[in-house]
Amino acid sequence: MRDSVLKPDAATFQLFEKKFKALADEKRLYILHLVQKHDSVCVCDLAEMIDMPQSKLSYHLKQLLDAQFVTVEKKGTWNYYSINDEELNGVLSDQLCCLFRNEDKC
């Protein structure tokens, strides 16, 4: 197994469970799409784009933040969200796939 591959232990599976739960929601997938499309977007603009109250949007953004799929930067009184490409790409990487393949296929 390559050094970069995660060991299949409880902590590893819990980590990916959190990530997949964050992705297992149509609204959060749409939010990720909008953030990616705009590079960096204010929560106030996102709320308007998806016609969702900011309180509900904040819940979804928290799930994405906890899974490390987005980053947040505070500018004045507003939060601006950006995609964390490394984490998002990681869920479909060889690193994850090797948990479900034979070692000779990694």
Side-chain angles (χ1 to χ4, degrees):
M1 234 197 256
R2 295 187 316 231
D3 292 337
S4 66
V5 177
L6 294 173
K7 294 184 181 175
D9 59 12
T12 299
F13 293 124
Q14 289 169 359
L15 169 73
F16 282 105
E17 178 184 27
K18 179 185 274 191
K19 291 183 182 298
F20 284 118
K21 279 184 178 180
L23 293 174
D25 183 276
E26 182 180 356
K27 289 178 181 120
R28 287 192 286 273
L29 291 172
Y30 187 53
I31 291 166
L32 282 172
H33 171 73
L34 289 173
V35 172
Q36 182 276 328
K37 191 175 177 181
H38 292 90
D39 291 324
S40 177
V41 63
C42 175
V43 68
C44 59
D45 294 332
L46 261 178
E48 190 175 308
M49 284 181 223
I50 61 175
D51 192 29
M52 180 183 288
Q54 194 169 332
S55 59
K56 284 189 177 191
L57 178 58
S58 292
Y59 168 79
H60 290 293
L61 288 168
K62 171 113 173 67
Q63 301 299 307
L64 295 170
L65 276 168
D66 288 348
Q68 300 176 343
F69 291 139
V70 294
T71 59
V72 64
E73 181 182 354
K74 191 165 184 81
K75 295 179 184 175
T77 59
W78 295 107
N79 288 330
Y80 285 78
Y81 292 86
S82 301
I83 293 291
N84 182 345
D85 289 315
E86 186 176 328
E87 285 296 322
L88 200 53
N89 290 338
V91 294
L92 301 177
S93 70
D94 289 340
Q95 185 178 32
L96 173 63
C97 293
C98 282
L99 289 174
F100 306 107
R101 289 186 187 145
N102 293 325
E103 286 186 32
D104 63 333
K105 298 193 182 197
C106 290

